[in-house]
Amino acid sequence: MGDERGVNMSVGSGGGFDYGRAFSRNIGWVTQQEQQALRQARVAIAGLGGVGGAHALTLARLGVGKFCIADFDTFEVHNFNRQVGASLSTLGLPKAEVLARMIRDINPEADVRVFRQGVTGDNIDDFLRDVDVYVDGIDFFAMDARRLIFNSCERFAIPALTAAPLGMGVSFLYFKPGAMRFEDYFRFEGVSVQEQYARFIAGLSPAMLQRDYMVVAEAVNFAQRQGPSTMMACDLCAGVMATAVLKVVLRRGELRPAPWAMQFDAFHQRLRFTWRPLGNANPIQRLMLMFIRPILRGQMDKG
C-alpha cells in the first residue's frame, strides 16, 4: 500500500444543526464542560467493519468531534449480519467513505480525516497526528498492521484500547502509556504467524467465557481467515469502548490497564476480570496456549 495522507472531510454545520441541542441528552452523565472536551477530542479508529463501524457511530453520538478513520476494504453481502455501514445501498462502496458520511450525518461539524488505503508504515504518523485515543477495530488476522499501530501508539504515548467481539460478548484491554506494553503482554516478537494467532486469542480472552456454546465448530477456519461474529457482540463492544474512551478523555473513573483484562459474556450473563502479570508468559496463559495450539494447528491444516 502506498502513502496516503488523511483527507480532511470536515463539513460546516447546516440545516439547523446545533451541537449543544444534538448532544444535550448526554448532559447529566457528563457536564457541559466535559461535553465540550469530548467535542475537541480526536479519536483514531483503524478498521471500520464489525466493531470499528459501531465504535465510530457510538463515539459520534457521544459527541466526539474529531476522527481519524482508516479502512481499505469495501462492503459486501457477508457483512450484513454485523457491520453498521453494510446495506444494499452501500454494497461495493469503501467502508471508510461510508462511515465518514455516517459520522457527518450525525454531526456535520465533525472533523473526519479519512485514510482510504488503511494504515501503513508510510502514513502511520499522519494517522496518529493530534490523536487523544486509539480505538482498535482491525481484522483479527491483520497482525502486522495491529503491531505497527499499537507500537506506534506507545511511541507517541497515546492510550490504545481494544474491545474484541467474542461469541455473544466482549473482551476489553487497555494499553496505557507508561504501563504494560502491547508487545510485552501478547509476546509476538520472533514467533510464527500461527503462533501469533494463538497468543492473540489467549491474550484477548484469558477468561474464555465464550468457549462452550459454539454449535458449528467448522465455521471457524483460520486457513481461510474467517470466523463467526454477531451484531450483539459488536454492540456490546461499542458500548464498552465508548465508555472507556470517555473515561480516558475526561480522566474520570478507574480503568484498569493491561495486564488486566475484562470480559463480559451476555449468553452466560457472566463478568470476569483477569490479571495476568507477564502477559502470555504468565503460567496460566502458558497452560491456555497448550490447549489452543493443537486446535489452531488442526484449523490451519484443514485449510
Side-chain angles (χ1 to χ4, degrees):
M1 295 179 185
D3 187 11
E4 179 186 10
R5 288 186 173 271
V7 179
N8 193 320
M9 301 187 72
S10 177
V11 178
S13 62
F17 177 81
D18 177 85
Y19 181 92
R21 290 186 62 196
F23 304 106
S24 61
R25 297 299 291 270
N26 292 339
I27 306 305
W29 300 114
V30 300
T31 67
Q32 292 282 2
Q33 293 77 15
E34 287 175 329
Q35 187 66 62
Q36 290 303 311
L38 292 167
R39 186 180 190 177
Q40 296 304 317
R42 182 174 295 278
V43 177
I45 307 172
L48 298 165
V51 290
H55 292 333
L57 297 193
T58 303
L59 290 167
R61 294 193 186 280
L62 182 60
V64 170
K66 301 176 183 180
F67 293 86
C68 295
I69 61 173
D71 200 305
F72 58 79
D73 204 1
T74 58
F75 284 113
E76 301 180 43
V77 173
H78 67 259
N79 302 145
F80 279 24
N81 80 308
R82 70 199 182 283
Q83 299 195 13
V84 295
S87 64
L88 288 175
S89 64
T90 63
L91 279 176
L93 296 182
K95 293 181 181 180
E97 293 182 3
V98 169
L99 266 297
R101 184 174 68 245
M102 295 176 78
I103 291 170
R104 295 196 309 274
D105 279 347
I106 295 166
N107 177 6
E109 296 178 352
D111 177 352
V112 187
R113 300 176 189 165
V114 180
F115 293 75
R116 298 185 183 91
Q117 300 301 317
V119 180
T120 70
D122 292 328
N123 67 17
I124 182 66
D125 288 5
D126 285 326
F127 177 66
L128 294 177
R129 179 165 44 89
D130 304 323
V131 164
D132 296 293
V133 184
Y134 169 66
V135 167
D136 184 34
I138 62 176
D139 186 85
F140 173 92
F141 299 97
M143 289 298 176
D144 289 344
R146 179 172 282 108
R147 293 180 68 190
L148 167 69
I149 297 169
F150 274 89
N151 292 338
S152 296
C153 286
E154 180 194 351
R155 178 162 54 94
F156 291 120
I158 296 170
L161 314 174
T162 188
L166 299 175
M168 301 177 200
V170 53
S171 186
F172 175 78
L173 284 165
Y174 167 36
F175 291 94
K176 179 181 180 181
M180 191 172 204
R181 298 170 59 247
F182 176 85
E183 291 286 349
D184 290 340
Y185 180 82
F186 283 105
R187 306 277 172 163
F188 289 146
E189 189 68 34
V191 302
S192 68
V193 172
Q194 182 172 315
E195 176 65 11
Q196 288 181 34
Y197 292 160
R199 294 186 183 194
F200 195 46
I201 293 168
L204 276 180
S205 182
M208 292 293 285
L209 298 181
Q210 77 286 357
R211 68 186 181 277
D212 64 349
Y213 60 84
M214 180 177 288
V215 292
V216 184
E218 57 268 29
V220 179
N221 191 317
F222 280 87
Q224 296 181 18
R225 298 190 170 193
Q226 65 183 31
S229 187
T230 67
M231 190 70 240
M232 300 88 78
C234 294
D235 281 341
L236 286 166
C237 287
V240 167
M241 179 62 78
T243 304
V245 169
L246 179 149
K247 294 175 80 169
V248 170
V249 169
L250 302 182
R251 299 180 181 180
R252 202 179 102 188
E254 180 186 11
L255 193 63
R256 300 175 183 178
W260 284 98
M262 183 274 287
Q263 185 174 2
F264 171 71
D265 187 88
F267 187 87
H268 286 308
Q269 293 286 290
R270 293 178 63 193
L271 173 68
R272 284 281 305 278
F273 288 92
T274 54
W275 185 57
R276 296 291 186 267
L278 305 179
N280 276 330
N282 186 282
I284 296 174
Q285 294 299 102
R286 289 182 176 181
L287 287 173
M288 185 182 298
L289 283 164
M290 291 176 64
F291 169 75
I292 292 171
R293 286 180 185 124
I295 297 174
L296 183 57
R297 192 178 306 117
Q299 286 285 335
M300 298 296 286
D301 290 344
K302 80 178 183 180

